[in-house]
Amino acid sequence: MNAQELTTNLKSLYKVFEENEELLTNLDREIGDGDHGVNMLRGFKAIDEKLSGDTVSDVLKSCGMTLMSVIGGASGPLYGFSFVKMSQVAEEEITRDNIGNLIEAFKDAIASRGQVSGGEKTMYDVISKVSDKLNAGELPTTDDLQQFADDTKSMIATKGRAAYFKEQSVGTIDPGAQSSVWVLDALLSGVS
């Protein structure tokens, strides 16, 4: 996947978040403050309008800086910082051989910025499993990504706003885990 294809994939997330804003908002109402859908839509509307760059690294950095400046709450800094970190390890094209490095940078960025380590009902639970699969030489499918998000349903939230809900958080997919499915899908879907 070259810079142009990556730009197309990331811009297409605007429509994805437009179609799923209500779903994310409803998930976040159950175990958060109800703004995740609106925030992700706002962020990727800005991506659709402003994303630029001639190289994969430039596109990832542009995406990160835009998300940091536009999205409020925890998700803006988390996603934004992650894209900037991915830009630092990006090569000329995203290939099956190097996508693992990008996703590992994504995972490490979320772990350090979010102070998470897994099993805490966050987006990290999806990203870390994708990283593990890539390290094992497998390219996760869209269904795999959704399954990783679905797996957060049975977890008790111990991080972020959802942690206030403790046992009541069981039964709801983590909103960040769900949004990360679509973000990861955009990064993986152009890789062959």
Side-chain angles (χ1 to χ4, degrees):
M1 178 165 46
N2 61 28
Q4 193 176 355
E5 292 163 332
L6 177 62
T7 299
T8 300
N9 279 9
L10 292 173
K11 285 186 169 203
S12 74
L13 283 170
Y14 171 43
K15 283 274 176 268
V16 173
F17 284 112
E18 194 172 43
E19 289 164 13
N20 292 286
E21 179 194 357
E22 192 176 345
L23 168 71
L24 282 180
T25 296
N26 289 339
L27 289 174
D28 201 31
R29 273 197 191 118
E30 288 184 39
I31 58 169
D33 52 9
D35 64 354
H36 193 57
V38 175
N39 282 338
M40 294 304 289
L41 180 59
R42 184 186 315 120
F44 281 93
K45 183 176 194 292
I47 294 300
D48 187 48
E49 294 165 356
K50 300 177 182 177
L51 190 64
S52 64
D54 296 325
T55 67
V56 167
S57 180
D58 290 344
V59 172
L60 290 168
K61 186 171 184 183
S62 171
C63 184
M65 299 308 280
T66 302
L67 293 177
M68 276 195 268
S69 67
V70 174
I71 301 182
S75 47
L78 285 168
Y79 276 121
F81 181 66
S82 300
F83 272 92
V84 170
K85 285 297 185 189
M86 283 190 282
S87 77
Q88 295 168 359
V89 299
E91 296 179 37
E92 205 167 300
E93 291 200 340
I94 301 176
T95 66
R96 195 171 175 132
D97 290 335
N98 66 28
I99 183 72
N101 297 337
L102 276 188
I103 303 305
E104 188 148 343
F106 193 173
K107 179 187 82 168
D108 292 346
I110 295 293
S112 66
R113 181 54 64 101
Q115 308 275 293
V116 290
S117 58
E120 298 158 313
K121 199 179 184 94
T122 70
M123 64 172 73
Y124 183 84
D125 293 302
V126 175
I127 299 160
S128 62
K129 286 180 182 174
V130 169
S131 182
D132 290 346
K133 229 174 179 12
L134 290 167
N135 286 335
E138 295 175 57
L139 200 61
T141 64
T142 305
D143 288 342
D144 290 333
L145 299 177
Q146 188 57 56
Q147 185 57 56
F148 297 154
D150 290 346
D151 289 346
T152 66
K153 250 187 188 179
S154 60
M155 296 177 183
I156 295 173
T158 57
K159 289 284 180 182
R161 197 173 289 270
Y164 294 119
F165 292 83
K166 298 185 174 69
E167 286 77 11
Q168 288 176 302
S169 67
V170 174
T172 301
I173 295 172
D174 178 70
Q178 185 58 61
S179 67
S180 72
V181 167
W182 299 312
V183 172
L184 286 159
D185 200 38
L187 292 170
L188 293 165
S189 62
V191 177
S192 53

